[in-house]
Amino acid sequence: MTDTAALLTALAQDPEASFVLIARDGAQSVELLTGATTDIDLLADIPLTVDGVPREVFAMVPYRQVRERGFDVADDGTPLRCLLVDEHRHLPLSDVLSALPTESVPLRDSGFDISDDAYAEIVTRVIADEIGRGEGANFVIRRDYTAAVDADERLTALTWFRALLAHERGAYWTFAVITPSHIAVGASPEAHVVARDGIVTMNPISGTFRHPAGGATKDTLVDFLSSTKETEELFMVVDEELKMMSAVCSDGGRITGPHLKQMSRLTHTEYMLRGRSRLDPRDILRETMFAPTVTGSPMQNACAVIGRHETTPRGYYSGVAALFTPNADGGHDLDAPILIRTVYLEDGRLRVPVGATLVRHSDPYGEVSETHGKAAGVLGAIGAIAREVIPAVDADPDKPSADADLAADDEVTALLASRNSRLAEFWLNPQEDGTTGPFAGRTALVVDAEDRFTTMLAHQLRHLGLDARIVQWHEVSDEDIDAAELLVAGPGPGDPRESGNPRIARMRAVVARRLESARPLLAVCLSHQILADRLGIGLAPLTTPHQGLQKVVPVFGEGASIGFYNTFTARVAPGQTRIGEAEVSADPTTGDVYALRGDGFASVQGHLESILSRDGIRTLERLIAHALAG
């Protein structure tokens, strides 16, 4: 028996031993982390130093930890578990493959915990009752594939880990986390957040192309890349992660991509976001909980929607595995892949959580099929199922398709690159210091109505020279409202007509007080609708929600390409250009109001800060200049 085999056998046979195996993308070694575990309450409690000495820590961060951001979540007690690394070894990949068990592990009593029809009904309700009521742009609702496992759990985990090493490709991390009472084995494609040497990167991945029998071809991939749904889905998650980047990075974050993420049975599209930050890595992790690709947007409301429609708590699904490693500066680097494509093994039961991203034009049974494909991708890769268990899996689940490197094809490359022609150059290019912007020396207060688009908006305000500060809707005082040089009433989910909703009622009061004071006001999206209502303009739901929709619209004499995330609209008679003393910029056919301006105020329905707003920064500057001039 080799040293590697003896070591892994000893760890597997010790029921009290805790260890982690990690194979990072492209590496020819497997990292083995051993040490004691401890369960803690908060991210701030992660023990990165002992007696003032930095130490390496691996943490499994459950979904329920999002409560640290004040969001609604079902608390199932899943522990925030830390492995305090005593030893970190690098084992040759070939030795690990030779040492790990290969016996197949049979499953019984397998299937989804929610039937296909029941899941389709949930999808239908979310589209109608949540997206249709303006609660958000997209939501991820999961269900679990479960089965009984009679074999030894630790040996089973090592068997599945070996199968992933041998048969899966393209994963960011392939890993096995083995601790008393909690075992997880997975191949995560997505580096949710990484912080090294002061540089933070995020890797939003969205759109799932399930390879057909026989493997992916150029034609089938081109069809996938041409899908409006898949493209808009990716843009929406990039917007949501840029909100997070703008909260933790001084330069807001820059986009590169898109790229293809090719795996054995699935291909995704992805962007990379990069920015500079001096925050503690635990704070970076807190501010980026969790990926919109597995929750939805806006994030706070997505958590509430998940609570209303998922039948059981999430456990670790959509959380992160986080490795904090001491660096030369005396701090810690962070590497935190998202916990998806993961098998959990507890008390003799296998669980594979999978979710579909629901948007305004989702097909319920298409989303059912996506959950089948994702579960099949995991279970097929570990060799745990045969074809008849889930129809989506290939005839030989252990054999990855021999796809060509389609990312190198000229047509595919051009099709990917063409996506950026729709995006705002502001987020694609390096951003200059805003100290010389047109509003340098002036200040702004941004009121957040539970949509962190305000972090991107505040970043753009700073780029224009304003010293911008964000305050939450329930924390802003009347004194704050009166004292602000420029008050920006921000966006948020929900029906602007629901005056009984405490958040809507407070935003109505904010807009009304500021309008009556005749001091500079900019109102965005939800607050634009509230302002319109205050001016006597009627509000109505759109026939089809404009969630993640890009439109070229008139804004006071200029056509502007703007991204929209609205379900409701202010509406005037077609051709109407004034309401009282206010100017109206509206659709000439429908009367939908895109912008308003008057003495000391301006407003816009779209999100000028969105990556979809190619003319966003220009339009923002125009509207602010008008408000401040009043």
Side-chain angles (χ1 to χ4, degrees):
M1 181 180 292
T2 66
D3 292 343
T4 296
L7 175 61
L8 294 178
T9 299
L11 289 169
Q13 291 176 345
D14 182 355
E16 299 304 315
S18 295
F19 62 101
V20 177
L21 293 163
I22 303 170
R24 306 197 207 202
D25 188 17
Q28 291 302 304
S29 64
V30 174
E31 298 168 61
L32 171 62
L33 284 60
T34 54
T37 58
T38 182
D39 295 343
I40 58 176
D41 185 42
L42 302 173
L43 292 173
D45 299 331
I46 295 174
L48 298 186
T49 60
V50 175
D51 298 328
V53 178
R55 73 173 304 159
E56 189 168 37
V57 179
F58 174 89
M60 289 285 284
V61 183
Y63 171 71
R64 75 182 184 102
Q65 220 59 38
V66 81
R67 75 189 192 281
E68 291 194 43
R69 291 182 59 186
F71 298 170
D72 292 336
V73 64
D75 192 347
D76 58 352
T78 303
L80 170 49
R81 178 157 292 181
C82 295
L83 177 78
L84 310 180
V85 181
D86 290 329
E87 192 166 10
H88 187 154
R89 311 186 198 194
H90 291 259
L91 308 175
L93 176 60
S94 57
D95 287 358
V96 173
L97 286 170
S98 298
L100 292 176
T102 59
E103 297 81 3
S104 62
V105 178
L107 306 181
R108 57 181 179 81
D109 301 329
S110 57
F112 281 106
D113 61 338
I114 301 171
S115 72
D116 287 356
D117 289 342
Y119 187 76
E121 289 176 6
I122 293 172
V123 173
T124 301
R125 289 200 304 272
V126 170
I127 295 169
D129 298 342
E130 306 294 359
I131 297 175
R133 287 207 323 259
E135 297 301 317
N138 56 83
F139 302 109
V140 180
I141 303 298
R142 77 168 225 293
R143 61 177 178 157
D144 296 345
Y145 189 90
T146 65
V149 179
D150 295 325
D152 179 89
E153 291 187 354
R154 289 177 166 241
L155 290 177
T156 295
L158 293 179
T159 301
W160 290 345
F161 178 67
R162 186 197 183 283
L164 289 174
L165 289 177
H167 301 299
E168 188 54 89
R169 66 176 174 130
Y172 178 69
W173 269 27
T174 301
F175 60 89
V177 180
I178 300 176
T179 67
S181 76
H182 285 280
I183 292 175
V185 183
S188 176
E190 189 167 346
H192 176 53
V193 62
V194 176
R196 291 194 183 103
D197 302 322
I199 301 297
V200 175
T201 58
M202 297 185 73
N203 177 210
I205 295 176
S206 191
T208 300
F209 170 51
R210 190 171 69 229
H211 299 176
T217 66
K218 175 181 170 180
D219 289 343
T220 56
L221 181 59
V222 166
D223 285 344
F224 164 72
L225 293 176
S226 301
S227 165
T228 299
K229 174 187 179 295
E230 300 293 354
T231 301
E232 291 184 353
E233 187 178 304
L234 179 60
F235 289 163
M236 284 189 277
V237 298
V238 172
D239 257 339
E240 193 67 20
E241 294 207 358
L242 271 175
K243 298 176 188 180
M244 299 175 180
M245 290 291 288
S246 295
V248 301
C249 296
S250 58
D251 55 350
R254 180 189 174 195
I255 303 170
T256 58
H259 310 288
L260 282 184
K261 184 75 171 181
Q262 292 181 273
M263 302 186 72
S264 296
R265 294 160 184 82
L266 305 169
T267 293
H268 305 281
T269 47
E270 65 178 358
Y271 277 92
M272 294 298 296
L273 315 181
R274 183 173 285 104
R276 293 185 294 272
S277 180
R278 296 181 179 178
L279 293 180
D280 182 294
R282 291 167 294 193
D283 294 331
I284 292 172
L285 189 55
R286 182 184 304 104
E287 289 299 315
T288 58
M289 293 191 301
F290 284 114
T293 50
V294 282
T295 53
S297 64
M299 179 68 194
Q300 184 164 354
N301 233 36
C303 291
V305 170
I306 287 167
R308 287 195 287 269
H309 294 278
E310 289 192 353
T311 58
T312 57
R314 287 193 160 199
Y316 288 110
Y317 172 73
S318 73
V320 296
L323 181 60
F324 298 86
T325 303
N327 58 33
D329 297 327
H332 285 76
D333 292 335
L334 169 67
D335 192 0
I338 189 171
L339 286 170
I340 54 174
R341 310 293 163 78
T342 300
V343 181
Y344 300 95
L345 190 56
E346 299 171 6
D347 299 324
R349 296 289 298 178
L350 163 149
R351 185 173 68 94
V352 179
V354 291
T357 301
L358 314 184
V359 296
R360 57 191 168 91
H361 40 223
S362 284
D363 170 67
Y365 281 95
E367 304 300 354
V368 167
S369 178
E370 181 160 330
T371 62
H372 275 282
K374 287 179 176 177
V378 176
L379 295 166
I382 64 174
I385 58 173
R387 179 173 182 172
E388 63 270 21
V389 178
I390 296 183
V393 83
D394 293 334
D396 181 357
D398 287 329
K399 183 180 180 182
S401 56
D403 300 320
D405 183 12
L406 297 175
D409 181 87
D410 289 343
E411 184 179 353
V412 171
T413 300
L415 192 56
L416 280 170
S418 69
R419 292 184 172 189
N420 286 351
S421 65
R422 295 181 55 188
L423 304 185
E425 290 186 4
F426 180 84
W427 298 107
L428 293 170
N429 297 325
Q431 298 156 23
E432 299 176 0
D433 191 318
T435 56
T436 58
F439 308 117
R442 311 194 75 163
T443 62
L445 181 70
V446 183
V447 182
D448 188 325
E450 294 187 4
D451 188 338
R452 292 221 308 177
F453 261 128
T454 51
T455 61
M456 295 169 68
L457 183 57
H459 176 69
Q460 288 194 326
L461 294 174
R462 295 180 189 115
H463 177 80
L464 293 172
L466 290 150
D467 182 1
R469 178 172 67 92
I470 300 173
V471 63
Q472 301 301 311
W473 66 269
H474 56 279
E475 296 175 345
V476 65
S477 67
D478 288 348
E479 291 76 16
D480 291 332
I481 297 168
D482 295 339
E485 184 174 3
L486 171 67
L487 185 119
V488 180
D495 186 339
R497 304 168 299 180
E498 286 188 349
S499 56
N501 179 304
R503 177 172 52 82
I504 301 294
R506 183 53 180 160
M507 292 306 295
R508 282 174 169 264
V510 168
V511 169
R513 186 179 184 93
R514 189 67 181 189
L515 191 63
E516 290 166 2
S517 74
R519 288 177 57 73
L521 167 69
L522 175 66
V524 178
C525 198
L526 174 71
S527 294
H528 157 85
Q529 296 163 5
I530 289 171
L531 173 64
D533 180 69
R534 184 76 182 178
L535 296 174
I537 300 173
L539 303 177
L542 293 163
T543 303
T544 302
H546 291 170
Q547 297 292 350
L549 182 67
Q550 186 180 57
K551 298 177 66 176
V552 177
V553 301
V555 180
F556 305 118
E558 288 189 12
S561 178
I562 295 174
F564 287 81
Y565 286 86
N566 64 302
T567 299
F568 296 87
T569 185
R571 185 170 288 155
V572 296
Q576 185 175 357
T577 60
R578 302 196 72 86
I579 181 79
E581 297 300 315
E583 292 181 73
V584 177
S585 191
D587 188 287
T589 302
T590 66
D592 290 353
V593 179
Y594 299 128
L596 296 163
R597 67 183 183 186
D599 188 12
F601 69 84
S603 70
V604 64
Q605 176 60 77
H607 285 265
L608 303 180
E609 67 281 5
S610 166
I611 62 167
L612 293 171
S613 293
R614 289 186 295 159
D615 299 312
I617 195 73
R618 156 84 180 152
T619 306
L620 181 62
E621 182 178 344
R622 290 178 64 212
L623 295 178
I624 292 173
H626 176 88
L628 288 174

